[in-house]
Amino acid sequence: MKITQEIKDNTVIMTLDGELDASSSVILDEELSDPEIMKYAKVLVNCQDLNYISSAGLGVFISHLQRFEDAQIKLIFYNMQDKVRNVFEILGLDLLMTIVSDYEEARTIANE
């Protein structure tokens, strides 16, 4: 799993590349726990190259949802592959998290 971050206009764009499993979820948790991320109003997660997500990976996102909500930080996922999106939908996480089709839609929703 490779995780990269880019900062644009008070927004963190986090790109996930590879498989988000138990071992790589620790790295993601560290990234999302970094106090620096709380300085931004939006976190957009590019999932285009996310090939797999385990329950541990899902758990990392779930564990940060309330903290982001409390800080009024918008967490938006985009470019999600069908097989990964199906996991979110089967577990009902698409009702808790914002998942959109592409970057432009993510930016539009983030700016509302």
Side-chain angles (χ1 to χ4, degrees):
M1 166 63 60
K2 180 179 176 186
I3 302 170
T4 57
Q5 287 187 26
E6 178 184 353
I7 308 299
K8 277 188 186 177
D9 304 323
N10 202 28
T11 303
V12 175
I13 301 168
M14 183 177 289
T15 301
L16 306 179
D17 185 352
E19 297 185 353
L20 184 52
D21 55 19
S23 61
S24 58
S25 66
V26 173
I27 298 164
L28 176 64
D29 187 50
E30 289 172 0
E31 296 275 339
L32 293 174
S33 297
D34 186 342
E36 283 294 309
I37 207 165
M38 301 305 285
K39 295 179 180 178
Y40 300 95
K42 304 159 220 160
V43 177
L44 308 183
V45 183
N46 182 354
C47 301
Q48 181 173 344
D49 295 318
L50 178 63
N51 300 318
Y52 169 82
I53 188 164
S54 70
S55 58
L58 291 166
V60 170
F61 287 120
I62 293 167
S63 71
H64 290 278
L65 272 180
Q66 190 63 53
R67 186 170 65 100
F68 282 9
E69 276 185 32
D70 291 346
Q72 297 181 339
I73 297 172
K74 293 183 180 182
L75 177 63
I76 302 170
F77 298 85
Y78 68 98
N79 285 344
M80 198 174 277
Q81 294 182 29
D82 288 342
K83 61 185 174 185
V84 173
R85 186 176 182 120
N86 286 341
V87 173
F88 279 76
E89 290 174 353
I90 288 168
L91 297 172
L93 297 176
D94 58 319
L95 303 174
L96 296 175
M97 301 175 184
T98 304
I99 303 170
V100 298
S101 60
D102 58 33
Y103 175 73
E104 289 306 316
E105 188 177 357
R107 277 185 47 115
T108 300
I109 290 174
N111 291 323
E112 290 179 346

